[in-house]
Amino acid sequence: MQKQKRIALARVLSKKGYCSRSQAANLIRAGRVTLNGRVKRDPETPARLKDQIEIDGLPLDRAPAVYVVMNKPRGVITTASDEKGRDTVYDLLDPDLPWLGPVGRLDKASEGLLLLTNDSVWAARITDPDSHLDKKYHVQVDCI
């Protein structure tokens, strides 16, 4: 049986689909997360996906996988928050959805298919260059 690799506690919360890594780091620093019965305040604390983790006293189970397909409009950025106050893809999502991360990115001037999910294993497989997934791009320019 293969021993499970230790990764940062904040990353475990993200991999389980609970929240983003930065949100997890904030929860951990606030003392709201326990690892195997002990409060941890360092987001880099080594942990395993199989460890007993609680947030606010409630057990953290792997969240059900959610997959969203979006036709990202031009002018919207692919980020959770923007210091300049620009519209983000998260402004277009139903607020009742669990935390979702983008699978890849489209810049502000681009429009088209954008996938979002809380399934980090699937997202990594999709974006891995070794997956050799075909992608098609249609580019328009206004000059030679």
Side-chain angles (χ1 to χ4, degrees):
M1 184 160 79
Q2 185 178 4
K3 193 172 181 180
Q4 198 176 46
K5 180 180 165 188
R6 288 182 179 260
I7 57 176
L9 180 56
R11 190 165 181 213
V12 171
L13 269 63
S14 174
K15 282 195 165 294
K16 287 191 170 209
Y18 184 79
C19 59
S20 70
R21 274 194 246 177
S22 59
Q23 291 167 329
N26 291 337
L27 289 171
I28 296 163
R29 285 188 196 102
R32 296 174 56 191
V33 178
T34 61
L35 173 64
N36 298 322
R38 301 184 120 176
V39 173
K40 298 296 178 183
R41 293 186 182 269
D42 180 0
E44 294 300 315
T45 300
R48 294 185 177 103
L49 288 170
K50 68 179 181 178
D51 285 338
Q52 179 188 348
I53 298 170
E54 293 182 355
I55 299 173
D56 296 330
L58 299 172
L60 175 67
D61 297 319
R62 185 174 288 276
V66 176
Y67 307 91
V68 172
V69 176
M70 174 187 288
N71 183 15
K72 187 194 90 58
R74 202 175 283 142
V76 175
I77 58 175
T78 309
T79 189
S81 62
D82 181 55
E83 68 281 351
K84 296 179 183 176
R86 297 174 290 188
D87 291 335
T88 75
V89 294
Y90 292 93
D91 296 327
L92 306 174
L93 295 175
D94 184 328
D96 293 332
L97 284 171
W99 173 83
L100 301 171
V103 181
R105 299 186 86 71
L106 290 175
D107 67 19
K108 183 179 174 184
S110 299
E111 64 182 59
L113 176 71
L114 179 64
L115 304 171
L116 298 110
T117 187
N118 62 348
D119 184 345
S120 60
V121 173
W122 179 79
R125 215 170 47 237
I126 294 297
T127 57
D128 186 344
D130 291 338
S131 68
H132 300 291
L133 289 175
D134 288 336
K135 299 173 187 86
K136 290 187 180 184
Y137 299 93
H138 176 83
V139 179
Q140 290 180 313
V141 293
D142 63 357
C143 59
I144 296 178

